[in-house]
Amino acid sequence: MSSEDSNIINVFIPCQMDMFQTNTAFSVMEVLSKLNIHCQYMDEQTCCGRRLFMEGDMDSAKTLATQVVDQLGTVQMIVIPDSSCAGFMRSYYRSMLVNTFQSTELTKFKNHIFELCDYIVNIRKVECLGNTFCHRVYYFKSCSARNLYPQNDAAEILLRNTAGLDLETDNDYHGCCGAHGRFPNSNPQAAEKMALDILNKAYNSGSRIITSTDIHCLQMLDAYASKHGIDIDVMHIADILNGE
């Protein structure tokens, strides 16, 4: 049986989700389990190396990337609830690990990496999960979801087909939350303005919840919403899709 036909997948949980939002990781598992998919999770997982790569620590990033490929292999599908991590692994692992693994292994690994919503809609061919979420929600399409791992509107499809959910989007807006790499540290005022632009746009749309496929963006937005007293909650899309 090919990996495309198998109901067994590996789930890679981003380190920031694993450390700070473990409930969301369980939502990911539950959403996939409702599709009769058996989820495997490797306890030894740590980090994909993306942050270290952006910091310029190539040796440490390569060490982590090697560990990921060794642990997850090149046979099963690998589903990741984060566009940034999935896009990084797809786009950079091949050049980083060219002298560590065979070219065929790296190609297979890349071809088995999928962001959660993309996997559900475009691989499993499911556009409605039967979930309910009775709120107005602003969906922020992150830089990674637009550029590094473009999803062909998979996230919007699942949100529009969520019972009770009033979806707000702005396809003409191409702003960034400012959470990329060391940017918030080296340019704090610019990063804050970028995050506030998104929060204000969401709030002014009447939404009191903002969601995204990127945990890094959501944590950045949550921090500034709390700092400035903006009455808006942030939720990873997996928590919405896991609604009853």
Side-chain angles (χ1 to χ4, degrees):
M1 180 181 293
S2 69
S3 58
E4 288 78 2
D5 297 326
S6 176
N7 281 335
I8 302 175
I9 64 166
N10 287 318
V11 175
F12 182 90
I13 300 299
C15 55
Q16 286 183 239
M17 184 180 291
D18 183 45
M19 290 188 292
F20 303 115
Q21 289 183 228
T22 53
N23 287 340
T24 301
F26 285 106
S27 289
V28 173
M29 300 293 197
E30 290 177 17
V31 167
L32 293 168
S33 295
K34 290 173 185 177
L35 296 175
N36 296 317
I37 298 169
H38 177 70
C39 302
Q40 299 181 145
Y41 175 75
M42 307 299 179
D43 291 337
E44 299 82 6
Q45 282 184 25
T46 53
C47 172
C48 68
R50 183 184 69 91
R51 184 59 183 261
L52 291 167
F53 180 88
M54 291 189 295
E55 297 269 353
D57 186 351
M58 299 301 295
D59 289 339
S60 297
K62 183 177 178 180
T63 297
L64 289 170
T66 300
Q67 177 178 291
V68 170
V69 178
D70 278 337
Q71 289 173 348
L72 299 182
T74 60
V75 178
Q76 303 295 344
M77 294 282 191
I78 302 162
V79 176
I80 306 173
D82 190 273
S83 299
S84 297
C85 295
F88 171 71
M89 291 160 75
R90 270 191 169 192
S91 300
Y92 292 99
Y93 269 26
R94 188 178 183 87
S95 59
M96 290 171 61
L97 303 177
V98 66
N99 295 321
T100 307
F101 296 95
Q102 293 183 0
S103 177
T104 53
E105 289 182 291
L106 294 174
T107 298
K108 287 180 180 179
F109 182 84
K110 173 185 175 181
N111 291 340
H112 285 118
I113 292 285
F114 292 94
E115 183 274 330
L116 175 67
C117 296
D118 180 34
Y119 177 76
I120 293 171
V121 173
N122 295 313
I123 301 302
R124 303 300 299 195
K125 306 300 181 184
V126 175
E127 295 191 352
C128 180
L129 293 169
N131 58 311
T132 299
F133 194 77
C134 298
H135 299 276
R136 178 174 288 184
V137 176
Y138 183 89
Y139 171 64
F140 169 61
K141 181 172 280 191
S142 68
C143 301
S144 294
R146 292 195 308 268
N147 304 308
L148 191 60
Y149 191 111
Q151 304 168 333
N152 300 317
D153 299 329
E156 292 97 318
I157 290 171
L158 292 172
L159 291 171
R160 289 193 184 98
N161 290 329
T162 295
L165 190 148
D166 183 7
L167 180 63
E168 293 288 339
T169 61
D170 189 347
N171 293 327
D172 295 326
Y173 183 71
H174 300 292
C176 172
C177 70
H180 186 74
R182 295 188 62 83
F183 184 81
N185 302 103
S186 56
N187 300 276
Q189 292 181 329
E192 183 168 9
K193 182 181 185 305
M194 293 162 77
L196 288 175
D197 283 348
I198 296 166
L199 289 166
N200 288 327
K201 182 176 284 291
Y203 188 88
N204 292 336
S205 75
S207 303
R208 294 300 176 264
I209 294 173
I210 185 168
T211 193
S212 174
T213 58
D214 280 82
I215 192 70
H216 317 86
C217 299
L218 291 173
Q219 290 175 349
M220 179 79 164
L221 295 171
D222 187 45
Y224 281 114
S226 298
K227 176 182 177 181
H228 292 276
I230 300 174
D231 184 22
I232 193 165
D233 293 325
V234 299
M235 290 184 69
H236 189 277
I237 194 170
D239 293 316
I240 293 176
L241 299 180
N242 194 37
E244 298 295 335

